[in-house]
Amino acid sequence: MTFTRACSVADVASGTALAVDLDGTAVAVVHDGDDWYAVADECSHAAIPLSEGDVEGCEIECWLHGSRFDLRTGKAINLPATEPVPVYPTRVEAGDVLVDVGAP
């Protein structure tokens, strides 16, 4: 696995997402309590950035049509989305959030 620094932990408040570009891959870094997630920053239903949606628990909602995705698996939870979004491994080291975009 090749982890790349995505952002500082201070950049993402709990219950929010941050859009980052990692080696040409648009990623939404999501912070929820003690948990960190990274998913492709595009709704599988429409080309809308998920990082602009609401985060609640282990889910992120696309702000345009309301599709929700499980941040742990990428699975679409409700319509109109039916396809999952890629999920990337994350870890926190020395105050930084690291993401491996090579392993969705």
Side-chain angles (χ1 to χ4, degrees), residues 9 17-18 27-28 31 33 37 39 42 44 56-58 61 65 71 79 81 83-84 94 96 103:
V9 295
L18 176 71
V27 175
H31 180 199
Y37 306 97
V39 298
E42 184 173 276
S44 63
E56 187 175 324
C58 296
E61 181 179 45
H65 296 119
L71 291 165
L79 297 173
E83 297 297 316
D96 289 328

PDB file of all heavy atoms in Angstrom, residues 9 17-18 27-28 31 33 37 39 42 44 56-58 61 65 71 79 81 83-84 94 96 103:
ATOM      1  N   VAL A   9      -5.434  16.548  10.202  1.00  0.00           N
ATOM      2  CA  VAL A   9      -6.672  16.221  10.918  1.00  0.00           C
ATOM      3  C   VAL A   9      -7.421  17.498  11.302  1.00  0.00           C
ATOM      4  O   VAL A   9      -8.648  17.499  11.375  1.00  0.00           O
ATOM      5  CB  VAL A   9      -6.418  15.332  12.157  1.00  0.00           C
ATOM      6  CG1 VAL A   9      -5.880  13.978  11.764  1.00  0.00           C
ATOM      7  CG2 VAL A   9      -5.500  16.000  13.149  1.00  0.00           C
ATOM      8  N   ALA A  17     -16.860  16.708   5.489  1.00  0.00           N
ATOM      9  CA  ALA A  17     -15.990  16.123   4.472  1.00  0.00           C
ATOM     10  C   ALA A  17     -15.164  17.229   3.836  1.00  0.00           C
ATOM     11  O   ALA A  17     -15.567  18.394   3.820  1.00  0.00           O
ATOM     12  CB  ALA A  17     -16.825  15.413   3.408  1.00  0.00           C
ATOM     13  N   LEU A  18     -14.016  16.843   3.308  1.00  0.00           N
ATOM     14  CA  LEU A  18     -13.122  17.776   2.640  1.00  0.00           C
ATOM     15  C   LEU A  18     -12.727  17.201   1.286  1.00  0.00           C
ATOM     16  O   LEU A  18     -12.320  16.034   1.203  1.00  0.00           O
ATOM     17  CB  LEU A  18     -11.865  18.003   3.483  1.00  0.00           C
ATOM     18  CG  LEU A  18     -10.778  18.883   2.869  1.00  0.00           C
ATOM     19  CD1 LEU A  18     -11.244  20.346   2.821  1.00  0.00           C
ATOM     20  CD2 LEU A  18      -9.493  18.765   3.670  1.00  0.00           C
ATOM     21  N   VAL A  27     -11.015  12.931  -4.139  1.00  0.00           N
ATOM     22  CA  VAL A  27     -11.348  12.149  -2.948  1.00  0.00           C
ATOM     23  C   VAL A  27     -12.059  13.041  -1.933  1.00  0.00           C
ATOM     24  O   VAL A  27     -11.695  14.208  -1.766  1.00  0.00           O
ATOM     25  CB  VAL A  27     -10.061  11.572  -2.313  1.00  0.00           C
ATOM     26  CG1 VAL A  27     -10.356  10.853  -1.006  1.00  0.00           C
ATOM     27  CG2 VAL A  27      -9.358  10.646  -3.290  1.00  0.00           C
ATOM     28  N   ALA A  28     -13.064  12.491  -1.281  1.00  0.00           N
ATOM     29  CA  ALA A  28     -13.703  13.149  -0.145  1.00  0.00           C
ATOM     30  C   ALA A  28     -13.164  12.494   1.113  1.00  0.00           C
ATOM     31  O   ALA A  28     -13.370  11.294   1.326  1.00  0.00           O
ATOM     32  CB  ALA A  28     -15.222  13.006  -0.216  1.00  0.00           C
ATOM     33  N   HIS A  31     -14.577  12.875   8.242  1.00  0.00           N
ATOM     34  CA  HIS A  31     -14.271  12.694   9.660  1.00  0.00           C
ATOM     35  C   HIS A  31     -15.587  12.533  10.415  1.00  0.00           C
ATOM     36  O   HIS A  31     -16.482  13.366  10.291  1.00  0.00           O
ATOM     37  CB  HIS A  31     -13.517  13.924  10.167  1.00  0.00           C
ATOM     38  CG  HIS A  31     -13.140  13.872  11.592  1.00  0.00           C
ATOM     39  ND1 HIS A  31     -12.821  15.000  12.300  1.00  0.00           N
ATOM     40  CD2 HIS A  31     -13.007  12.845  12.466  1.00  0.00           C
ATOM     41  CE1 HIS A  31     -12.516  14.676  13.537  1.00  0.00           C
ATOM     42  NE2 HIS A  31     -12.632  13.366  13.658  1.00  0.00           N
ATOM     43  N   GLY A  33     -16.394  11.569  14.333  1.00  0.00           N
ATOM     44  CA  GLY A  33     -15.947  11.173  15.673  1.00  0.00           C
ATOM     45  C   GLY A  33     -14.493  10.750  15.640  1.00  0.00           C
ATOM     46  O   GLY A  33     -13.615  11.530  15.287  1.00  0.00           O
ATOM     47  N   TYR A  37     -12.644   8.357   6.913  1.00  0.00           N
ATOM     48  CA  TYR A  37     -12.982   7.622   5.705  1.00  0.00           C
ATOM     49  C   TYR A  37     -12.506   8.414   4.492  1.00  0.00           C
ATOM     50  O   TYR A  37     -12.334   9.636   4.563  1.00  0.00           O
ATOM     51  CB  TYR A  37     -14.500   7.429   5.588  1.00  0.00           C
ATOM     52  CG  TYR A  37     -15.139   6.808   6.784  1.00  0.00           C
ATOM     53  CD1 TYR A  37     -15.750   7.585   7.762  1.00  0.00           C
ATOM     54  CD2 TYR A  37     -15.144   5.427   6.946  1.00  0.00           C
ATOM     55  CE1 TYR A  37     -16.339   7.006   8.870  1.00  0.00           C
ATOM     56  CE2 TYR A  37     -15.739   4.839   8.046  1.00  0.00           C
ATOM     57  CZ  TYR A  37     -16.332   5.634   9.016  1.00  0.00           C
ATOM     58  OH  TYR A  37     -16.917   5.057  10.109  1.00  0.00           O
ATOM     59  N   VAL A  39     -13.592   8.407   0.271  1.00  0.00           N
ATOM     60  CA  VAL A  39     -14.369   7.853  -0.840  1.00  0.00           C
ATOM     61  C   VAL A  39     -14.151   8.717  -2.070  1.00  0.00           C
ATOM     62  O   VAL A  39     -13.731   9.875  -1.969  1.00  0.00           O
ATOM     63  CB  VAL A  39     -15.886   7.779  -0.516  1.00  0.00           C
ATOM     64  CG1 VAL A  39     -16.161   6.868   0.665  1.00  0.00           C
ATOM     65  CG2 VAL A  39     -16.468   9.163  -0.281  1.00  0.00           C
ATOM     66  N   GLU A  42     -17.348  11.753  -6.006  1.00  0.00           N
ATOM     67  CA  GLU A  42     -18.344  11.903  -7.061  1.00  0.00           C
ATOM     68  C   GLU A  42     -19.459  10.894  -6.841  1.00  0.00           C
ATOM     69  O   GLU A  42     -19.222   9.690  -6.755  1.00  0.00           O
ATOM     70  CB  GLU A  42     -17.713  11.698  -8.436  1.00  0.00           C
ATOM     71  CG  GLU A  42     -18.689  11.945  -9.562  1.00  0.00           C
ATOM     72  CD  GLU A  42     -18.014  11.894 -10.915  1.00  0.00           C
ATOM     73  OE1 GLU A  42     -17.456  12.920 -11.323  1.00  0.00           O
ATOM     74  OE2 GLU A  42     -18.040  10.819 -11.529  1.00  0.00           O
ATOM     75  N   SER A  44     -22.232   8.340  -7.623  1.00  0.00           N
ATOM     76  CA  SER A  44     -22.314   7.376  -8.730  1.00  0.00           C
ATOM     77  C   SER A  44     -23.566   7.583  -9.579  1.00  0.00           C
ATOM     78  O   SER A  44     -23.669   7.036 -10.674  1.00  0.00           O
ATOM     79  CB  SER A  44     -22.273   5.943  -8.193  1.00  0.00           C
ATOM     80  OG  SER A  44     -23.394   5.684  -7.360  1.00  0.00           O
ATOM     81  N   GLU A  56     -23.528  11.938   8.231  1.00  0.00           N
ATOM     82  CA  GLU A  56     -24.224  11.525   9.448  1.00  0.00           C
ATOM     83  C   GLU A  56     -23.828  10.097   9.761  1.00  0.00           C
ATOM     84  O   GLU A  56     -24.155   9.172   9.010  1.00  0.00           O
ATOM     85  CB  GLU A  56     -25.739  11.628   9.275  1.00  0.00           C
ATOM     86  CG  GLU A  56     -26.482  11.372  10.577  1.00  0.00           C
ATOM     87  CD  GLU A  56     -27.973  11.605  10.432  1.00  0.00           C
ATOM     88  OE1 GLU A  56     -28.389  12.520   9.705  1.00  0.00           O
ATOM     89  OE2 GLU A  56     -28.722  10.842  11.073  1.00  0.00           O
ATOM     90  N   GLY A  57     -23.078   9.938  10.841  1.00  0.00           N
ATOM     91  CA  GLY A  57     -22.594   8.607  11.195  1.00  0.00           C
ATOM     92  C   GLY A  57     -21.695   8.086  10.103  1.00  0.00           C
ATOM     93  O   GLY A  57     -20.800   8.777   9.631  1.00  0.00           O
ATOM     94  N   CYS A  58     -21.937   6.886   9.651  1.00  0.00           N
ATOM     95  CA  CYS A  58     -21.116   6.245   8.617  1.00  0.00           C
ATOM     96  C   CYS A  58     -21.682   6.458   7.225  1.00  0.00           C
ATOM     97  O   CYS A  58     -21.461   5.651   6.325  1.00  0.00           O
ATOM     98  CB  CYS A  58     -21.006   4.748   8.901  1.00  0.00           C
ATOM     99  SG  CYS A  58     -20.168   4.387  10.426  1.00  0.00           S
ATOM    100  N   GLU A  61     -24.362  11.962   2.212  1.00  0.00           N
ATOM    101  CA  GLU A  61     -25.504  12.165   1.333  1.00  0.00           C
ATOM    102  C   GLU A  61     -25.150  13.131   0.207  1.00  0.00           C
ATOM    103  O   GLU A  61     -24.571  14.195   0.449  1.00  0.00           O
ATOM    104  CB  GLU A  61     -26.678  12.737   2.125  1.00  0.00           C
ATOM    105  CG  GLU A  61     -27.919  12.968   1.295  1.00  0.00           C
ATOM    106  CD  GLU A  61     -29.064  13.510   2.116  1.00  0.00           C
ATOM    107  OE1 GLU A  61     -28.854  14.425   2.922  1.00  0.00           O
ATOM    108  OE2 GLU A  61     -30.181  13.000   1.948  1.00  0.00           O
ATOM    109  N   HIS A  65     -29.534  14.984  -5.181  1.00  0.00           N
ATOM    110  CA  HIS A  65     -30.685  14.080  -5.293  1.00  0.00           C
ATOM    111  C   HIS A  65     -30.936  13.261  -4.035  1.00  0.00           C
ATOM    112  O   HIS A  65     -31.868  12.464  -4.001  1.00  0.00           O
ATOM    113  CB  HIS A  65     -30.513  13.131  -6.489  1.00  0.00           C
ATOM    114  CG  HIS A  65     -30.480  13.834  -7.793  1.00  0.00           C
ATOM    115  ND1 HIS A  65     -29.386  13.787  -8.629  1.00  0.00           N
ATOM    116  CD2 HIS A  65     -31.397  14.628  -8.409  1.00  0.00           C
ATOM    117  CE1 HIS A  65     -29.634  14.519  -9.705  1.00  0.00           C
ATOM    118  NE2 HIS A  65     -30.841  15.039  -9.599  1.00  0.00           N
ATOM    119  N   LEU A  71     -20.017   4.920   4.136  1.00  0.00           N
ATOM    120  CA  LEU A  71     -18.619   5.318   4.048  1.00  0.00           C
ATOM    121  C   LEU A  71     -17.653   4.160   4.245  1.00  0.00           C
ATOM    122  O   LEU A  71     -16.501   4.243   3.847  1.00  0.00           O
ATOM    123  CB  LEU A  71     -18.327   6.415   5.075  1.00  0.00           C
ATOM    124  CG  LEU A  71     -18.988   7.755   4.785  1.00  0.00           C
ATOM    125  CD1 LEU A  71     -18.956   8.652   6.012  1.00  0.00           C
ATOM    126  CD2 LEU A  71     -18.330   8.423   3.595  1.00  0.00           C
ATOM    127  N   LEU A  79     -32.071   5.114  -3.418  1.00  0.00           N
ATOM    128  CA  LEU A  79     -32.167   5.658  -4.774  1.00  0.00           C
ATOM    129  C   LEU A  79     -32.066   7.178  -4.729  1.00  0.00           C
ATOM    130  O   LEU A  79     -32.334   7.770  -3.695  1.00  0.00           O
ATOM    131  CB  LEU A  79     -33.495   5.229  -5.396  1.00  0.00           C
ATOM    132  CG  LEU A  79     -33.670   3.722  -5.577  1.00  0.00           C
ATOM    133  CD1 LEU A  79     -35.090   3.419  -6.037  1.00  0.00           C
ATOM    134  CD2 LEU A  79     -32.643   3.165  -6.550  1.00  0.00           C
ATOM    135  N   ALA A  81     -29.246   6.626  -6.611  1.00  0.00           N
ATOM    136  CA  ALA A  81     -28.004   5.895  -6.866  1.00  0.00           C
ATOM    137  C   ALA A  81     -28.222   4.400  -6.664  1.00  0.00           C
ATOM    138  O   ALA A  81     -28.901   3.983  -5.731  1.00  0.00           O
ATOM    139  CB  ALA A  81     -26.887   6.380  -5.956  1.00  0.00           C
ATOM    140  N   GLU A  83     -25.303   2.283  -7.843  1.00  0.00           N
ATOM    141  CA  GLU A  83     -23.930   1.793  -7.885  1.00  0.00           C
ATOM    142  C   GLU A  83     -23.131   2.336  -6.702  1.00  0.00           C
ATOM    143  O   GLU A  83     -23.351   3.474  -6.273  1.00  0.00           O
ATOM    144  CB  GLU A  83     -23.254   2.226  -9.195  1.00  0.00           C
ATOM    145  CG  GLU A  83     -23.898   1.648 -10.430  1.00  0.00           C
ATOM    146  CD  GLU A  83     -23.809   0.137 -10.472  1.00  0.00           C
ATOM    147  OE1 GLU A  83     -22.728  -0.404 -10.172  1.00  0.00           O
ATOM    148  OE2 GLU A  83     -24.826  -0.508 -10.798  1.00  0.00           O
ATOM    149  N   PRO A  84     -22.191   1.559  -6.192  1.00  0.00           N
ATOM    150  CA  PRO A  84     -21.353   2.037  -5.086  1.00  0.00           C
ATOM    151  C   PRO A  84     -20.326   3.066  -5.565  1.00  0.00           C
ATOM    152  O   PRO A  84     -20.122   3.242  -6.771  1.00  0.00           O
ATOM    153  CB  PRO A  84     -20.650   0.764  -4.613  1.00  0.00           C
ATOM    154  CG  PRO A  84     -20.581  -0.092  -5.829  1.00  0.00           C
ATOM    155  CD  PRO A  84     -21.843   0.196  -6.604  1.00  0.00           C
ATOM    156  N   ALA A  94       0.760  11.186  12.977  1.00  0.00           N
ATOM    157  CA  ALA A  94       1.379  12.469  13.325  1.00  0.00           C
ATOM    158  C   ALA A  94       0.526  13.664  12.922  1.00  0.00           C
ATOM    159  O   ALA A  94       1.034  14.659  12.399  1.00  0.00           O
ATOM    160  CB  ALA A  94       2.771  12.556  12.709  1.00  0.00           C
ATOM    161  N   ASP A  96      -1.706  13.862  10.542  1.00  0.00           N
ATOM    162  CA  ASP A  96      -2.077  13.901   9.139  1.00  0.00           C
ATOM    163  C   ASP A  96      -2.984  12.735   8.788  1.00  0.00           C
ATOM    164  O   ASP A  96      -2.846  11.646   9.339  1.00  0.00           O
ATOM    165  CB  ASP A  96      -0.841  13.819   8.241  1.00  0.00           C
ATOM    166  CG  ASP A  96      -0.005  15.089   8.272  1.00  0.00           C
ATOM    167  OD1 ASP A  96      -0.591  16.181   8.447  1.00  0.00           O
ATOM    168  OD2 ASP A  96       1.221  14.989   8.127  1.00  0.00           O
ATOM    169  N   ALA A 103      -5.666   1.617  -3.870  1.00  0.00           N
ATOM    170  CA  ALA A 103      -6.338   0.406  -3.369  1.00  0.00           C
ATOM    171  C   ALA A 103      -7.805   0.676  -3.051  1.00  0.00           C
ATOM    172  O   ALA A 103      -8.209   0.665  -1.898  1.00  0.00           O
ATOM    173  CB  ALA A 103      -5.611  -0.098  -2.128  1.00  0.00           C
TER     174      ALA A 103
END
